[in-house]
Amino acid sequence: KAETTIFAFNSMTSTMRTVRLDAIIENYSSSPIEECVKIHQTDVPTPKTGEVLVKMAYSTINPSDLMYLQDKYGIKATPGCATGLEGCGVVVGNNAGILGWRIMGKKVAVYSPGAWSEYLCVPALNCVELQQSTPLEQAAA
C-alpha cells in the first residue's frame, strides 16, 4: 500500500489559501467578480492514490479559466469548486508510487482544476517535469 510522504513537512503549513467559485459568473459585465470568486482558507489536501501534492508557485489566468468560471468550458464548474486550470510549482508530497518519487522535489507544470491554490493535489500523470533551469514564472506562461 502506498503511503503519502511529505517533503520538508516541518516547513509546510497545515492550512492554505485557495480561490473558490462562490457563484457562476453569468456575464462579466453584470456579475461582480468579487462576489463570485473569493479567497478561502482551507486545510492543505492529502494526495489520494495516484496523486502528488504540488506547492504552487504561479498560475495564469487564461481564456479557458474565464470560460470555466461561467461554466462554459469542458470541465463542469459548480459553486464551491476550486478555480484555476493550470500553473506550476514544486512537488512536495507523493502518493503515486514510483512516478511520484521520480518528480518529488522537482519543478512541474500542472493541468488540473484548483491551480489558483497554494497547494494542489493532482494526478502524477497530469504533471510535466520542467528543466530545473527553467524559472517558474516563465513556466506558468
Side-chain angles (χ1 to χ4, degrees):
K1 179 179 176 183
E3 285 189 32
T4 301
T5 303
I6 303 296
F7 175 78
F9 182 80
N10 292 335
S11 66
M12 200 167 77
T13 180
S14 62
T15 61
M16 67 171 198
R17 291 173 295 174
T18 186
V19 179
R20 295 209 179 272
L21 182 64
D22 285 352
I24 299 295
I25 297 173
E26 299 298 328
N27 182 317
Y28 281 103
S29 60
S30 63
S31 297
I33 196 162
E34 63 274 7
E35 293 178 16
C36 297
V37 180
K38 295 182 181 171
I39 298 173
H40 293 267
Q41 193 77 18
T42 188
D43 292 334
V44 172
T46 301
K48 296 176 185 158
T49 301
E51 293 182 334
V52 293
L53 179 65
V54 178
K55 184 175 194 294
M56 299 299 291
Y58 294 93
S59 186
T60 57
I61 299 175
N62 291 311
S64 57
D65 295 299
L66 301 177
M67 296 295 288
Y68 178 71
L69 297 176
Q70 292 182 293
D71 195 28
K72 294 181 179 176
Y73 196 64
I75 301 170
K76 182 75 176 152
T78 56
C81 70
T83 56
L85 296 176
E86 52 194 55
C88 62
V90 176
V91 176
V92 296
N94 173 35
N95 197 11
I98 193 72
L99 180 57
W101 281 115
R102 190 176 125 12
I103 57 175
M104 186 68 153
K106 295 186 178 175
K107 296 178 186 178
V108 293
V110 298
Y111 174 78
S112 183
W116 295 348
S117 300
E118 290 180 306
Y119 291 89
L120 176 65
C121 284
V122 59
L125 292 172
N126 286 18
C127 295
V128 177
E129 184 179 346
L130 302 170
Q131 292 181 357
Q132 293 305 296
S133 61
T134 302
L136 287 171
E137 59 271 16
Q138 290 181 4

